[in-house]
Amino acid sequence: MTNGLLLELKAVDRRYDEGTRKLTILDQADFSLKHGEMVALVAPSGAGKSTLLHTAGLLEWPDGGDVILNGRACGRLSDDERTAIRRNDIGFVYQFHHLLPEFSAVENIMMPQLVCGLSRAQARERALQLLDYMKIGERAEHRPAELSGGEQQRVAIARAVANAPLLLLADEPTGNLDPATASYVFDALEALVRHSGLSALIATHNHELAARMDRRVTLEGGKVVDF
Ligand SMILES: Nc1ncnc2c1ncn2[C@@H]1O[C@H](COP(=O)(O)OP(=O)(O)OP(=O)(O)O)[C@@H](O)[C@H]1O
């Protein structure tokens, strides 16, 4: 930790090739996220929300500028180093849960911990604690297909934080749920973020949920701006 910031994007460019021309999605974009801060990313479809999340989450390389996570410049790291940071320090939640269908809820949450070298007993204990925290402890042994959409998303959130990341990035985490379920799932997500002190950047089209976060940003002309 250096300046109270967990995440900084400094003059980040991101361009895609579209036939013969370049599509500029991020154009010298600056953004920062403080430790423990929860920020909503609200922008029209196609504005570049997923691009911003993927770049911040080290899934995509910026074409210019740098991404600094917990004081560490990540732009010039090797693929292996970036993978290690993603595995240990960053949790992702998507609109669709992407749980492994043949494994139970608890096993899905154990998986990333086993990859990081925890024993099965340790991983299971933490997974069960997280399921309890998300108020679905009694669904631990069910497979994703046996869970409701809201329950599946709560398992996906638990899985994203299983390795106690510093940063949670979520791309429309409640976008696939009805309003009441979305609010309920967001309650659980918010409680978890606040309790664990992690920082979160959450893309959402839901203005009610965005209003509950510390700050709201949007994308305009490839830049991240507060609104
Ligand atoms: N790998 C890629 N190659 C080419 N173009 C891409 C690629 N990824 C995204 N794009 C384009 O970049 C633009 C921004 O995409 P992005 O998915 O970041 O938007 P978004 O704001 O998340 O949209 P949505 O809300 O619909 O998910 C879109 O025009 C998209 O078609």
Side-chain angles (χ1 to χ4, degrees):
M1 196 196 323
T2 48
N3 48 6
L5 299 178
L6 174 76
L7 171 71
E8 285 177 275
L9 269 66
K10 285 193 170 168
V12 165
D13 294 324
R14 188 74 184 108
R15 291 179 286 270
Y16 297 118
D17 288 320
E18 200 190 41
T20 52
R21 64 189 194 101
K22 288 251 185 222
L23 200 61
T24 299
I25 306 301
L26 299 177
D27 185 8
Q28 299 276 297
D30 293 318
F31 173 69
S32 59
L33 192 61
K34 292 184 199 139
H35 284 268
E37 195 178 29
M38 197 173 184
V39 173
L41 172 59
V42 185
S45 182
K49 298 180 297 295
S50 302
T51 302
L52 179 69
L53 290 168
H54 292 165
T55 308
L58 312 186
L59 285 165
E60 290 187 31
W61 294 86
D63 296 298
D66 208 348
V67 176
I68 296 153
L69 187 64
N70 214 19
R72 187 174 185 197
C74 298
R76 282 177 197 79
L77 299 179
S78 67
D79 276 341
D80 284 352
E81 288 170 314
R82 286 164 67 94
T83 302
I85 293 174
R86 274 203 308 276
R87 202 175 272 161
N88 294 310
D89 296 335
I90 305 175
F92 291 92
V93 183
Y94 297 96
Q95 179 173 358
F96 300 100
H97 57 76
H98 297 301
L99 297 169
L100 297 171
E102 66 274 30
F103 293 98
S104 67
V106 68
E107 287 168 338
N108 266 280
I109 304 169
M110 288 167 66
M111 213 71 76
Q113 302 178 75
L114 298 177
V115 170
C116 277
L118 261 74
S119 70
R120 283 192 70 81
Q122 287 170 316
R124 187 173 166 83
E125 190 184 341
R126 171 145 173 96
L128 290 172
Q129 279 169 358
L130 283 168
L131 284 169
D132 275 343
Y133 197 84
M134 300 302 280
K135 300 194 170 59
I136 39 171
E138 78 287 358
R139 314 294 283 163
E141 305 304 337
H142 290 263
R143 291 184 185 189
E146 299 162 344
L147 302 173
S148 72
E151 288 169 344
Q152 289 167 348
Q153 236 7 22
R154 279 181 282 161
V155 176
I157 292 166
R159 179 185 56 180
V161 300
N163 283 335
L166 302 170
L167 173 65
L168 183 70
L169 298 170
D171 200 349
E172 296 278 353
T174 61
N176 198 31
L177 306 172
D178 66 75
T181 308
S183 178
Y184 189 73
V185 169
F186 187 79
D187 288 347
L189 173 62
E190 187 180 19
L192 191 70
V193 169
R194 301 297 186 195
H195 176 77
S196 58
L198 56 81
S199 309
L201 178 60
I202 300 175
T204 180
H205 286 296
N206 185 325
H207 286 265
E208 238 170 76
L209 299 184
R212 290 168 52 180
M213 299 189 220
D214 300 321
R215 197 154 57 86
R216 282 143 293 284
V217 296
T218 189
L219 282 159
E220 272 176 21
K223 306 227 186 304
V224 184
V225 293
D226 284 284
F227 78 100

